[in-house]
Amino acid sequence: MVWTSQVPGLLPRVMKSISDKNSVERKNEKNLKFFFWRRSGRKETSARGGQAGILFAMNSAPLVHVIVINWNGLEHLEACFDSLLASDYPAFQAVLTDNGSADGSVAFAREKWGDDPRFSALELGANLGWSGGNNAALRQAIAAGARYALLLNNDVRVAPDAISRAVARAESDPRIGAVALKMVLFGQPWILNSLGVAVSRAGVGWDIGAGRLDSMVTPPDAAPGACGGACLLRLEALEQVGLLPERFGIYLDDLDLCLRLWDAGWKVACCPDAVVEHKFSASMGHGAGARRKYFLATRNRLLLLARNTPFSALPDAAAATLTAEIRSLGAAARDGAWWKWAAHARAWLEALSAIPETWVHRRAMDRQGIDRHRHCRMVRREPMFGPEVVLPVQGFYPLRPTVTGAARAISRKAWLGHPPAGMRVRLEAPLRGIPPCPVTIHLDQTPVARLERPGDSFILPENIGRVCFESLGAVRAEETGLPWDTGAWLTLDPDPAAAFFEESGIAAAFRDTGDRSGSS
């Protein structure tokens, strides 16, 4: 396979970076002899993460290039790279892959971490998109002799043992081509963002477990795809099936790659022991970004089907796509969102214009001997668009008056800064047959009250900096019919949490329709 750069002058910069990196890696080999990874000082065995007590000799620990894609994401870099460079894995290179940022991202990063030999920056000079930028860094990783590449969004915080556990999972089976790390919400790590990616016959992908309590979801052993926001890739597998599809730009390109891995005989494994916190939709969560995300997700699911569906399954995929289009356009008309009609029209035009390129891709994959039927057994017939996902704001969910009246659901924890003096908090049981979960109230980190029975209440005193409500249990979404797992129901009088949704208009930044990108 021959790769060419899309940006003039990129190849010399990449080769210089590779030369610098090789000298850094030789220095690391001299300085680091052995690495012993142990969890809590005990030897443990994980069902999916392999044995947790692992001895990595430095000369045998596989080299990992950690690729952090960035475009004007300066505000996210400190949390991301500080956590990365605190990793307990001995053989990795953290590569800031910059898509032509204009906010000083690269200068800031070099000033802060430039003296650490594990850090480097790959400046692309232009915005190549999520796929194009990652592909440039993947080529560099392959040329440098790395065995794995860990793709990360810039708005993440990585657990110290996340790389170690993901590598251990990959090393447990030589046919694992990709590993999906567990993504949880930034600052609310008890809520899942992704355990892997599911896909429907309409080409829609969604994050497994998104919006659910971590304790309520059984992690799968394998999945159709891995979210590109935290995904370990075996580079040997990519040399066979190719890199990310750059026409996609962003969204579903990670799923396209994973389906090709399955079809070529590789596996996409899940590793719930490797944890990454993610600021959900920090880059394209609302406004014009959300509209562009909708268009790209619509277009890319058409491209995904055209590139990866076996000919025998095309009639069913076409019928599912037609059904999905009717549902989507009908919902848009009902809501008066006519801009979505324009987005669908544009998506179809661009997907049709890509037919020659798609045909070339299918022929190239056929020459690699892939069997497109392999991934089909993992495709879901229903739901077509995935489950509804509603994410909490500071632990609070929007009201569902027709279901629970004025009672507001909270997650495992919820909190308010500087709550109004005299606010009354009351424990509720709005659903028949479902008893309330007790709630402990903390004022400035000190527990002061416990509400156990419906009607129990507490009035907040004056001059409180922060109040936290901690549920001592949870009710599964399947029991309530709501899209989230509920810690408790409270009524707040007055209700400051209303500003998170009805009054401030920011709810869209914390909601998702279920039509996902794989890298949101």
Side-chain angles (χ1 to χ4, degrees), residues 1-5 11 135 138-139 142-143 235 238-239 242-243:
M1 181 178 297
V2 178
W3 295 311
T4 58
S5 171
L11 185 58
N135 280 350
L138 286 169
R139 296 178 188 118
I142 291 171
L235 296 179
L238 269 57
E239 291 185 273
L243 303 181

Side-chain angles (χ1 to χ4, degrees), residues 329-362:
L329 294 175
R334 181 193 64 219
D335 298 337
W338 298 108
W339 63 268
K340 291 185 177 180
W341 282 60
H344 279 261
R346 182 183 168 197
W348 275 93
L349 288 174
E350 291 200 12
L352 290 172
S353 71
I355 288 177
E357 176 186 324
T358 300
W359 180 251
V360 170
H361 166 77
R362 291 181 68 100

